[in-house]
Amino acid sequence: MKTIISILLWLTLGGPSIQAAEFNAKEFAHSYFGAWTASQSPQATKEDIEHYLSFLTEDVGHQHLPYDPDDNRSTEGKNNMRKGMNHYLGVHTEYAGTLVSITLGYDVVVIQYDTVATGVHPQTKEVIVQKYQTLEVLEIEKDKVSVIRKYSE
């Protein structure tokens, strides 16, 4: 019994120190963008969407100006994004995203990228042709995106 108590005490007070891997914001930004573009490609799958969603907290807030001004976090944040992304899955017939820049700050990553996409709207069946630049401000909490503020045309 003394041995067990000694081991527990040693582990608690002076045992080997296990450090979490340090968060690399630049690498995170590249991986996040890669997952995003994969989820938008004409060949995107539900697994691509889930991979993208793995970068987000469960209660992620998502604001897309000027279309969606609400950035509140909710317990259904990730599930709501999943529903929306699955609704539009396969819409693009062509998609290209080009990362323009990454800016790092305290618990924030800002990415800017260009998008060229064509597709067919799932409800109206109209052909959509888009070419725009997006700025995404990603608020980071515990190595995951907790709020997305997306600015694009």
Side-chain angles (χ1 to χ4, degrees):
M1 185 65 143
K2 284 184 179 180
T3 305
I4 293 173
I5 292 172
S6 297
I7 291 171
L8 289 175
L9 193 58
W10 176 75
L11 287 171
T12 304
L13 298 176
S17 102
I18 302 171
Q19 293 182 333
E22 192 170 317
F23 180 71
N24 182 326
K26 191 167 189 172
E27 182 179 306
F28 179 86
H30 282 282
S31 297
Y32 171 91
F33 181 72
W36 169 254
T37 57
S39 76
Q40 300 302 300
S41 81
Q43 298 80 27
T45 64
K46 289 185 179 202
E47 289 77 20
D48 292 320
I49 291 173
E50 289 304 316
H51 178 64
Y52 169 74
L53 293 172
S54 73
F55 288 85
L56 314 180
T57 61
E58 292 297 319
D59 65 343
V60 66
H62 183 262
Q63 178 184 53
H64 186 177
L65 295 174
Y67 311 106
D68 184 11
D70 184 9
D71 66 349
N72 290 322
R73 292 172 71 176
S74 105
T75 55
E76 290 300 306
K78 188 187 279 192
N79 284 331
N80 291 339
M81 289 192 66
R82 180 178 287 112
K83 288 176 192 172
M85 291 179 78
N86 279 305
H87 176 73
Y88 288 101
L89 180 63
V91 166
H92 291 136
T93 55
E94 293 179 45
Y95 181 85
T98 305
L99 188 59
V100 174
S101 67
I102 298 171
T103 304
L104 307 176
Y106 180 74
D107 289 339
V108 70
V109 174
V110 180
I111 61 172
Q112 188 172 3
Y113 57 93
D114 292 328
T115 297
V116 178
T118 59
V120 178
H121 193 279
Q123 294 163 320
T124 66
K125 305 302 180 203
E126 289 182 56
V127 173
I128 304 165
V129 178
Q130 300 175 315
K131 183 178 180 181
Y132 56 91
Q133 190 169 76
T134 300
L135 180 77
E136 281 193 34
V137 179
L138 309 172
E139 295 179 17
I140 308 296
E141 180 179 286
K142 296 181 183 172
D143 301 348
K144 295 217 177 217
V145 177
S146 58
V147 177
I148 302 167
R149 298 179 198 282
K150 188 178 289 197
Y151 305 87
S152 61
E153 298 173 22

